[in-house]
Amino acid sequence: MRFLSGLMIAAWLVTGCSGSGASADGGENVRNTMRASLGTSTASHIVSASEDALLNRYGYQFERRVETTEDVRLETSWKELPATSDEKALGFGFARIRITVRARPRDRAAGTFSATLNAWVEGSGPASDIWVRIPVTDEREAYLKEVIDFLENEFKGGVRRGTP
């Protein structure tokens, strides 16, 4: 019984001291990702719409592309951007973002896939070139939401049947 009590106290101390708040220092508790469901479409439409939007509209470059019958994955390289005013208020001079669009089969008979977007954010100080995880601030979230909304609208129409 005494051993069990000691174990419970130790567990309580460890969890009590670990903290749960996010910090801007690149710590493990920083929520530096944003995830969103983009909708459904065919694999080819997801690939073409994502490539068109991320390459041409938003200026990302692709680092990895996987297309199988079970998985579609488009991963960009890190894109450096100026820090937003709320990122600057946290002490960062620059930000960088990496986006992955991933799709999994939704309806095999119809040939449709469900697509999701994941975005990661890192920052560096004005006088430092070390990149650390930084929180997704309100202004950065607004930028990522614009990307997400654009892709969602592309997928809402379903499969492209040609250009007007």
Side-chain angles (χ1 to χ4, degrees):
M1 184 67 168
R2 185 176 211 166
F3 173 76
L4 185 59
S5 296
L7 188 60
M8 288 174 51
I9 290 172
W12 176 73
L13 286 173
V14 168
T15 58
C17 295
S18 65
S20 61
S23 65
D25 64 359
E28 293 299 313
N29 293 327
V30 174
R31 183 188 72 87
N32 76 321
T33 60
M34 190 165 165
R35 179 182 166 99
S37 175
L38 299 174
T40 61
S41 192
T42 64
S44 62
H45 183 233
I46 289 168
V47 169
S48 65
S50 298
E51 285 182 340
D52 184 49
L54 293 172
L55 282 169
N56 299 325
R57 185 176 180 97
Y58 295 102
Y60 287 86
Q61 298 297 313
F62 284 94
E63 185 172 289
R64 187 172 179 199
R65 179 179 170 160
V66 174
E67 287 184 72
T68 68
T69 57
E70 295 298 316
D71 187 29
V72 172
R73 195 171 357 155
L74 302 167
E75 183 176 299
T76 70
S77 302
W78 288 101
K79 179 181 177 185
E80 292 185 29
L81 299 165
T84 59
S85 60
D86 51 1
E87 290 167 341
K88 287 178 183 174
L90 294 173
F92 298 102
F94 302 94
R96 68 181 185 177
I97 298 172
R98 170 178 265 169
I99 294 176
T100 299
V101 174
R102 189 163 193 181
R104 299 283 192 162
R106 179 176 181 153
D107 183 345
R108 292 183 197 285
T112 57
F113 283 66
S114 292
T116 57
L117 178 141
N118 286 301
W120 292 267
V121 181
E122 292 185 347
S124 67
S128 170
D129 60 354
I130 298 173
W131 294 98
V132 296
R133 299 163 91 187
I134 64 172
V136 178
T137 62
D138 290 343
E139 290 178 50
R140 187 59 65 199
E141 185 172 340
Y143 165 79
L144 291 170
K145 186 73 174 126
E146 177 189 319
V147 175
I148 290 164
D149 288 346
F150 184 84
L151 286 169
E152 281 179 336
N153 286 330
E154 289 294 303
F155 298 152
K156 274 183 187 173
V159 180
R160 283 191 187 161
R161 303 199 192 312
T163 55

